[in-house]
């Protein structure tokens, strides 16, 4: 199974990425104490490109506010797609994501299509 990797720090929130095992699976998380909270959906249904994330629609209250704050910091583009919000990472975060994925490929934990 792929590793959770520290991805960014937005104010006092640590952001982690779970790269998954294939290109449609990356997800972003924030920490709430010792609990990882998913802030994006993997794209098994929507087939986002690498570096594109859909905001987790089940978030509410403080978690939704935190997710929006994180994604506004990490994203270069925001697009409303039906009832979802899609974020495209800024270049430097896309490079970081691709670097994490390349390491996962080297370790045999990630499969490129």
């Amino acid at each position: 199974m792929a590793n959770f990797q520290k991805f960014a720090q937005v104010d006092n929130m640590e952001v982690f990425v779970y790269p998954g095992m294939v290109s449609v699976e990356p997800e972003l998380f924030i920490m709430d104490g010792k609990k990882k909270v998913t802030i994006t959906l993997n794209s098994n249904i929507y087939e986002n490109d690498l570096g594109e994330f859909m905001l987790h629609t089940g978030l509410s209250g403080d978690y939704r506010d935190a997710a929006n704050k994180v994604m506004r910091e990490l994203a270069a583009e925001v697009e409303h797609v039906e009832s979802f919000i899609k974020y495209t990472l800024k270049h430097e975060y896309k490079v970081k994501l691709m670097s994490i994925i390349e390491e996962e490929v080297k370790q045999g934990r990630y499969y490129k299509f």
Side-chain angles (χ1 to χ4, degrees):
M1 179 177 273
N3 296 321
F4 287 90
Q5 304 272 337
K6 186 166 182 181
F7 191 65
Q9 180 85 25
V10 177
D11 292 338
N12 62 345
M13 291 178 282
E14 287 186 310
V15 181
F16 287 82
V17 65
Y18 172 70
M21 295 177 69
V22 294
S23 61
V24 295
E25 292 184 331
E27 294 176 84
L28 296 175
F29 296 78
I30 56 174
M31 295 301 294
D32 181 13
K34 293 185 179 194
K35 176 182 172 186
K36 286 183 180 78
V37 177
T38 307
I39 62 171
T40 63
L41 303 171
N42 71 44
S43 66
N44 284 324
I45 296 171
Y46 304 100
E47 298 183 14
N48 295 331
D49 290 333
L50 277 172
E52 295 179 347
F53 293 92
M54 296 282 199
L55 188 68
H56 189 304
T57 55
L59 295 171
S60 62
D62 290 341
Y63 287 144
R64 185 169 182 91
D65 294 343
N68 278 311
K69 184 174 190 174
V70 165
M71 295 312 295
R72 281 193 305 272
E73 175 65 28
L74 302 182
E77 297 177 36
V78 179
E79 181 182 352
H80 292 268
V81 180
E82 297 177 11
S83 61
F84 295 97
I85 301 173
K86 181 168 77 171
Y87 295 91
T88 303
L89 293 178
K90 292 177 182 173
H91 177 73
E92 61 266 26
Y93 292 110
K94 172 92 183 255
V95 168
K96 188 170 187 174
L97 175 64
M98 298 309 294
S99 175
I100 289 169
I101 288 171
E102 286 303 317
E103 184 58 32
E104 292 296 304
V105 169
K106 287 178 189 174
Q107 298 296 322
R109 297 185 294 240
Y110 194 92
Y111 306 98
K112 286 181 152 181
F113 292 121

